[in-house]
Amino acid sequence: MSVPQLAISNEFMDALARLPKSQRKKVQEFAKKFRADPRSAAINYEKIHNMTDDRVRTVRIDQKYRAVVLHPNTGNTYVLVWVDNHDEAMDWARNRTFEVHPETQSLQILNVEQVQQTLAQAKLVPAKKEGLFSHDDKTLLSFGIPAILLPAIRVIESKEQLVQLQGVLPAEAYESLVWLAEGESVEDVKQAVGMFLESDESQKLADDQSDESDEDKVLLESQSARRFRRVSSDEELDRILAAPLEQWRVFLHPHQRQMTQQSFSGPTLVLGGAGTGKTIVAMHRARQLALKLPANERLLFTTFTKNLAENVKSVMETFCCDELERIDVQHVHEHAMSWLRTSGQIQVASDEEIALAWDQVAVDNPTNFETDVLRDEWFYTHAIRGVTTREDYLQMSRVGRTPSLSRREKAGVWKAFELYNEALRLSGKMSWVGVATNATALSASAAQPTYRHVIVDEGQDFTASDWRFVRSLVRRAADDIFIVADPRQRIYHEPTQLKDGDVLVDDRIHRLQINYRTTEQIRSWATRRSGAATASDLCESAWSEIATHSLFDGPEPALLENVDQQSESIALAELVHSLKDEFPLEEIAVVVRANWLLKRLKSALKQKGIEFNILDGNSADVSGVQLATMHRVKGLEFRCVVIAGLTDAVFPTKYRGREDDDLARERHIIAEKNLLYVAASRARDRLYVSTVGGFASSHYLANDQVTL
């Protein structure tokens, strides 16, 4: 390739984020000029004194700042790797090595000073027979561990000691050691880290980039792509440099990258815990698919709630260009409503209006069952199982449900369903299940499917009736439906199987296992309190078998005990006041189970002079500490989260179903536990959990936690 190329490293983005905003603009302007012609005589290259690596230079941005550039000897790709004041930029470069790892063929940047300190400390450790890692050198090198650091790896005796090397090791090496320390096999670790993707991608690179040098191709390897991104246009460069902190838009884990680019033969499911990048993968995949669509075809990105759809749309606007015009972003019921509005105005029944319709069924009830039994059975049949005909209902299995029904009793129950449906119809209203079902009929009868692809986020919240609607929107073909889901975040209803919605994923099930949002301490705390640790949702893949780990370390979640709600509100206001020097107020969220709990909190914050904002459907930028319910923070993240008001009277909320329905009671508890998991997993760095009256009596919150 004769045309020079520009690449940017994640360390360059880190450095850029530290600069004043006025200086960032200068860097952007320079980067575009540099990309246009890095060989121009106007580019002021400067050699670095005492730098043996001749590939490394600095280039002038202005009188004060310089960027550090790496130019491989035989390639045409210039890499921006750092930006800083003149002297600091020189010092940074002199303290780095830039080497291609012989096993992984990934370009690695090592901090020489950190490496030397690590090796010096390793020499001080008395020789022992066996440390945490007993693998031979060849195996350790195959994970991308630099050979120079092998002596330091050999003396590691605990996971705590391993954490100390996170900033020293390349990302793939550290991640591999984390999994090995958990006892995973070498083969499984290579699979989790994405090492097995290398050979396939290397061959593809050889085919697609045959005119590039080996040093150019190194930057495109999966493990290199974790920290280097080649830029193809000025528009892309502007988008990347405009948000240096949001590196997820630029650098992806090999498995994430694979999920965005691979072609699948049919519907595909990606499972992952909170913080594993499911939505990121879904958005990047939507963009990649849209780039390939002809102008007359479209793609739908859908999720379960309006708030999440708005968040996705606003984020995608920041890293998509013209391809965004071919992407519709709507929550599933909003899109279903758009189909029904073509034949007139549609009104959705409120909970009170639905209750009234069931009261009308009670007048001529064709069964011996109470209407609450019939109502539960209707929702299970139509929403969870996606059954819409009498014949299918009579054949439908109800194993484990109460009460048990004979075929004759089921026939009577179906008559009750018909009475309810008629009562709603006469009222001019429709349930959300009815909206999805009727929209499915309209979509399925269309001459051509509406979309070429459908991307589904938060798939665990969809019912079978929703899945049937999704299925009707797109023809059965490769890459038709792509789903990301976290069963532990299912908070609205009982599990739904994709097959009941006519979405057949077969063996196209993938897992994201690295948590990029929270510390390991927060992830572990939240996961242990989830209600879905052993549940099998969406398909027959057991969720409990999916191992997840965070690569970040931090303090344990802190438990705060208070005498009463008034003292709790005052204590939390003081806590927020003490945290504002560590975190911007906008990065602190106080989360509660119900809206009524916010009243005292607002009063206490006002008295303390702390600005706050109530999170609602408005996605605009807001200031102050964020106050929200557990449901509202789903899909969001904050550096610090305070979960407040977890008294026995508030959490879990009272079960209001039938006393004889043990399964429904269990589902209620699972949903409440999942809601706590959702709230806790919004935290990136710090988590506080507050209660009134103590934690000891609660099996949801007690055990092994730090109490302040």
Side-chain angles (χ1 to χ4, degrees), residues 585-586 611-613 621-626:
L585 282 179
E586 295 76 20
E611 187 178 6
F612 63 84
N613 172 69
D621 291 338
V622 291
S623 59
V625 61
Q626 307 298 298

Side-chain angles (χ1 to χ4, degrees), residues 174-408:
Y174 178 73
E175 182 185 331
S176 299
L177 291 174
V178 167
W179 286 117
L180 290 172
E182 293 294 326
E184 300 289 340
S185 69
V186 169
E187 292 289 305
D188 287 345
V189 173
K190 288 189 175 182
Q191 184 69 44
V193 178
M195 295 294 180
F196 288 145
L197 303 177
E198 298 296 336
S199 58
D200 294 339
E201 295 206 1
S202 296
Q203 183 58 51
K204 185 176 185 299
L205 288 172
D207 296 337
D208 297 346
Q209 314 287 344
S210 57
D211 58 341
E212 293 195 89
S213 74
D214 290 341
E215 294 196 27
D216 284 325
K217 292 176 183 176
V218 159
L219 292 172
L220 302 178
E221 292 284 346
S222 287
Q223 300 302 333
S224 292
R226 288 172 176 252
R227 46 189 167 267
F228 299 101
R229 168 73 173 269
R230 202 155 71 179
V231 182
S232 59
S233 68
D234 284 349
E235 292 76 16
E236 182 184 20
L237 182 62
D238 282 338
R239 291 198 308 272
I240 290 173
L241 299 185
L245 286 174
E246 297 174 355
Q247 294 194 22
W248 58 264
R249 300 179 185 178
V250 184
F251 308 103
L252 297 177
H253 184 281
H255 270 307
Q256 291 180 325
R257 187 164 172 250
Q258 180 194 27
M259 292 299 99
T260 66
Q261 298 179 352
Q262 183 175 343
S263 180
F264 301 100
S265 60
T268 302
L269 173 63
V270 177
L271 296 170
T276 55
K278 299 180 300 299
T279 302
I280 291 170
V281 166
M283 290 190 292
H284 276 278
R285 181 167 180 82
R287 177 173 183 260
Q288 291 298 320
L289 291 172
L291 285 169
K292 302 172 185 175
L293 283 177
N296 63 335
E297 291 191 346
R298 303 186 64 77
L299 175 154
L300 174 66
F301 190 114
T302 188
T303 186
F304 191 69
T305 66
K306 179 181 179 181
N307 292 330
L308 291 176
E310 289 178 346
N311 291 339
V312 167
K313 188 172 184 179
S314 64
V315 170
M316 292 197 70
E317 288 173 348
T318 67
F319 73 97
C320 291
C321 286
D322 295 343
E323 69 274 9
L324 190 60
E325 297 177 0
R326 296 187 289 278
I327 302 176
D328 293 334
V329 182
Q330 287 183 305
H331 71 86
V332 65
H333 291 154
E334 177 187 13
H335 190 66
M337 287 286 283
S338 68
W339 280 86
L340 301 185
R341 290 193 188 103
T342 59
S343 56
Q345 188 64 32
I346 298 297
Q347 290 185 310
V348 178
S350 65
D351 290 342
E352 292 77 13
E353 290 167 331
I354 288 175
L356 179 60
W358 282 111
D359 287 343
Q360 294 177 43
V361 173
V363 176
D364 297 310
N365 191 343
T367 75
N368 295 322
F369 302 114
E370 298 292 333
T371 52
D372 57 350
V373 175
L374 297 174
R375 182 173 178 168
D376 288 346
E377 183 72 3
W378 184 93
F379 186 81
Y380 176 75
T381 300
H382 291 74
I384 304 302
R385 299 298 302 275
V387 171
T388 58
T389 68
R390 180 180 183 275
E391 292 71 21
D392 288 343
Y393 177 62
L394 293 178
Q395 297 177 28
M396 184 186 80
S397 172
R398 299 179 65 259
V399 175
R401 294 190 63 79
T402 57
S404 59
L405 300 176
S406 66
R407 183 179 177 86
R408 183 174 181 178

